[in-house]
Amino acid sequence: MIGAEVTFDVPIPKVIWGWLVSTNMWAKSIATGSFFLGLYFINKYPEQDRFFRKWLPILGLIFIGITLLVTILDLHHMFRFWKIFVHPHFTSAVTLGAWVVSGFVIILLIAFWSWLTGKRKLFDKVMIPGFILAFFATIYTAGIMGQATAREVWVFPAEMISMLLSALLAGSAAYLVIDAIFNHPLKEEIRKELSYILFGSAGLMAAMFIGELVFAKMHSEFAHKVIQILAFGEVAIFFWIGMFLAFIVPMIFVGIYTQKKDYKYALYGSLSALVGLWFIKHAWLIAPQSLPLS
Amino acid sequence: MRLGFLVDLSRCMGCMACAVACKAENNVPLHSWRLRVKYIDQGEFPDVKRHFVPLRCNHCENAPCERICPVSALHYLPNGIVNVDHDRCIGCASCMMACPYNAIYLDPITNSADKCTYCAHRIEVGLMPACVVACPTHANIFGDLDDPESEISKYLKSHRDVMVRKPELNTHPKHFYVRGSTVALDPLASERPEGFTLFTEVKFLDHIGGH
């Protein structure tokens, strides 16, 4: 006897988490990445901290706001979201994420107030708790993916590194775009450092994805199937557009910028990275959901 | 008490009485299933075989759905059943992402997660689950795994070919299959071609809910 096929079954849902969740991860990367890099540059270049003290809370609040909005919209009982605070189940990364992000929003509001009123010390006092909350806000989604036992290739330690790299990529790209829009208030040294961070995080993330393409088939039949769907199947278009826009284009353009000192290449590379990041996140979210589970 | 299920696949004839009884007992809406029976055809004519596999929640001892639920809507009952509190569910679908057996659905009417509860409401008053009562061949065997005299315990002891779905995931399912096969229990061991086949259209739903 050879071959076997399902001849009778009920329709089962394929995609459970869609574009709203991809947007959640994308926006959160920008919010936390701009926080990490903002803290770093405020401390490294105190003479130019006005730029970061202003844009850290603005970028953070806008993009964490988008994150929270799409998260609530994705709930099938969106008006019950408050239950996560009154009936928390702390074994769940979803619960931990909700609490951590709420704390992170408070830190961002303090940073915003500090910038508005000019009370710098206010923000200085919450930098360390802010860093800790931003760190956990970045990686909690990796925890959710790790707890999603049904889905192949979402493995916790690797997802955590990938999320942190996404944050660095998105944060550096966001600051380079803001710098370009407002006629380059940043000094050359900072811009160059942001470009190196963008280049490095894009390179490392690309290496992680290529590593999955090569090695996943050695893990299990399920992982192999997911990678086939990702690279050659129904989400391949998202995946390859993401690979090209998020990693390859920014690395080339940032490389040209550092050689030619032509700012517009840094802007193009950053915009490409931000757009591409959504595509790659979306492909990575959908592919494991395309496997039949039963 | 640890309630468990066992399906003797050599007895199942794919009549769907269990699926119909489950739908009727639990008011399961259209396009949603707590229990379904999958048909798998294997081989090439004239050497062919048909497998029937009833699929329902495995009530895992280490349930990923319970662990990931942010509000404890999915919770253990003292008898080992993984139960759902519809009023507490926020509809995040994390449980659906975590369940490796595709046993949870979002009820399109209540918008809450739902699944097989081993008919917890019937067990509470001393009745058997609806699917067990409806099965004409007694393929569904239900009982207390902690009681060595229960039918399920005796069945498990007397059969060497006991299988569970996806044991490698360490979920410790309390739903067993006897006289099963990889073709019947491993979703990648059989193709799931979309389109019209025997009586119905095998397909995936594109998405759930309104977005």
Side-chain angles (χ1 to χ4, degrees):
Chain A
M1 278 202 275
I2 52 160
E5 81 177 34
V6 176
T7 47
F8 181 87
D9 201 357
V10 301
I12 47 177
K14 195 180 224 175
V15 176
I16 295 162
W17 281 348
W19 66 271
L20 286 167
V21 178
S22 321
T23 308
N24 163 311
M25 293 190 286
W26 173 81
K28 186 159 63 69
S29 297
I30 300 174
T32 59
S34 56
F35 191 88
F36 289 138
L37 295 177
L39 285 193
Y40 170 72
F41 286 111
I42 286 170
N43 286 294
K44 189 170 181 191
Y45 299 99
E47 72 280 7
Q48 246 213 326
D49 70 345
R50 277 184 60 197
F51 176 88
F52 292 103
R53 283 183 187 274
K54 176 182 176 183
W55 288 106
L56 178 151
I58 292 175
L59 284 174
L61 285 170
I62 290 171
F63 285 97
I64 208 71
I66 294 171
T67 306
L68 292 172
L69 178 71
V70 292
T71 304
I72 290 172
L73 284 177
D74 196 47
L75 297 180
H76 291 256
H77 275 300
M78 64 176 84
F79 296 112
R80 290 187 187 172
F81 75 92
W82 52 269
K83 291 194 179 194
I84 215 162
F85 299 106
V86 293
H87 300 295
H89 187 218
F90 285 112
T91 63
S92 169
V94 182
T95 309
L96 295 172
W99 284 67
V100 161
V101 169
S102 303
F104 182 53
V105 169
I106 293 169
I107 299 286
L108 287 172
L109 288 170
I110 293 171
F112 187 68
W113 183 250
S114 154
W115 167 67
L116 268 186
T117 58
K119 294 177 181 170
R120 290 165 166 242
K121 284 192 175 168
L122 192 63
F123 181 45
D124 293 347
K125 281 180 190 165
V126 294
M127 276 185 178
I128 292 172
F131 175 80
I132 294 166
L133 287 168
F135 177 80
F136 285 106
T138 308
I139 67 161
Y140 87 85
T141 319
I144 297 173
M145 291 172 125
Q147 285 190 328
T149 317
R151 312 297 162 177
E152 294 296 325
V153 308
W154 293 349
V155 184
F156 177 71
E159 285 300 329
M160 180 179 74
I161 305 295
S162 177
M163 297 275 170
L164 289 168
L165 288 172
S166 309
L168 293 179
L169 178 119
S172 53
Y175 280 131
L176 284 169
V177 170
I178 297 286
D179 176 61
I181 291 172
F182 291 95
N183 210 17
H184 308 294
L186 288 174
K187 63 180 182 182
E188 182 61 26
E189 218 174 333
I190 297 177
R191 201 174 306 114
K192 206 171 227 179
E193 213 164 318
L194 281 167
S195 304
Y196 291 150
I197 292 168
L198 178 58
F199 187 94
S201 51
L204 286 170
M205 275 189 87
M208 286 188 78
F209 281 104
I210 292 165
E212 283 289 358
L213 292 185
V214 175
F215 288 99
K217 63 185 170 192
M218 298 167 204
H219 298 162
S220 72
E221 193 186 354
F222 288 90
H224 183 202
K225 191 97 178 169
V226 169
I227 293 302
Q228 277 186 320
I229 293 167
L230 185 75
F232 311 109
E234 55 208 86
V235 292
I237 185 84
F238 285 93
F239 178 70
W240 291 112
I241 287 176
M243 285 290 280
F244 187 71
L245 291 181
F247 310 134
I248 297 167
V249 171
M251 288 173 78
I252 293 170
F253 276 31
V254 163
I256 295 172
Y257 155 69
T258 52
Q259 292 303 309
K260 290 192 172 178
K261 303 282 183 289
D262 189 344
Y263 301 141
K264 71 173 183 288
Y265 286 105
L267 172 67
Y268 297 156
S270 304
L271 288 173
S272 173
L274 289 173
V275 173
L277 188 63
W278 187 89
F279 279 91
I280 202 99
K281 293 259 177 214
H282 189 65
W284 193 247
L285 180 78
I286 301 298
Q289 297 183 60
S290 303
L291 274 191
L293 295 177
S294 58
Chain B
M1 180 183 269
R2 275 187 320 131
L3 294 173
F5 236 104
L6 182 146
V7 182
D8 186 335
L9 291 176
S10 67
R11 289 185 182 182
C12 180
M13 56 183 187
C15 70
M16 309 273 175
C18 53
V20 174
C22 173
K23 276 252 184 194
E25 175 69 31
N26 296 295
N27 261 334
V28 181
L30 287 171
H31 280 85
S32 303
W33 292 266
R34 290 186 181 202
L35 161 60
R36 64 186 218 263
V37 182
K38 187 167 85 166
Y39 289 14
I40 299 142
D41 289 0
Q42 186 185 11
E44 265 182 20
F45 182 82
D47 190 15
V48 290
K49 186 177 180 180
R50 173 163 294 159
H51 305 261
F52 306 111
V53 197
L55 300 165
R56 58 167 80 74
C57 171
N58 284 222
H59 294 269
C60 310
E61 283 184 345
N62 182 21
C65 60
E66 188 275 342
R67 186 167 51 238
I68 205 169
C69 179
V71 290
S72 302
L74 285 143
H75 56 276
Y76 295 109
L77 295 182
N79 56 17
I81 288 175
V82 180
N83 200 26
V84 194
D85 181 342
H86 309 112
D87 294 330
R88 188 174 284 192
C89 176
I90 61 171
C92 66
S94 303
C95 50
M96 297 177 73
M97 296 300 286
C99 175
Y101 308 112
N102 212 354
I104 307 175
Y105 61 93
L106 267 166
D107 188 311
I109 296 167
T110 64
N111 266 333
S112 293
D114 217 334
K115 65 175 200 64
C116 161
T117 59
Y118 281 172
C119 281
H121 59 289
R122 288 174 62 92
I123 292 163
E124 209 171 71
V125 292
L127 297 170
M128 279 289 192
C131 56
V132 176
V133 177
C135 181
T137 58
H138 196 45
N140 289 305
I141 295 156
F142 177 74
D144 182 6
L145 296 166
D146 284 343
D147 176 6
E149 294 306 309
S150 66
E151 188 185 4
I152 188 169
S153 296
K154 286 179 183 168
Y155 223 97
L156 286 170
K157 266 184 217 158
S158 60
H159 288 81
R160 286 180 164 270
D161 55 349
V162 177
M163 297 173 83
V164 292
R165 288 158 70 198
K166 300 182 185 170
E168 71 280 6
L169 294 177
N170 201 31
T171 53
H172 302 296
K174 292 201 299 295
H175 190 289
F176 306 92
Y177 293 91
V178 165
R179 293 176 188 136
S181 64
T182 308
V183 164
L185 299 179
D186 180 344
L188 289 192
S190 55
E191 280 187 59
R192 196 176 192 281
E194 290 195 74
F196 284 99
T197 53
L198 187 59
F199 313 117
T200 188
E201 188 183 7
V202 175
K203 65 184 288 189
F204 286 102
L205 297 175
D206 281 341
H207 206 292
I208 52 161
H211 45 254

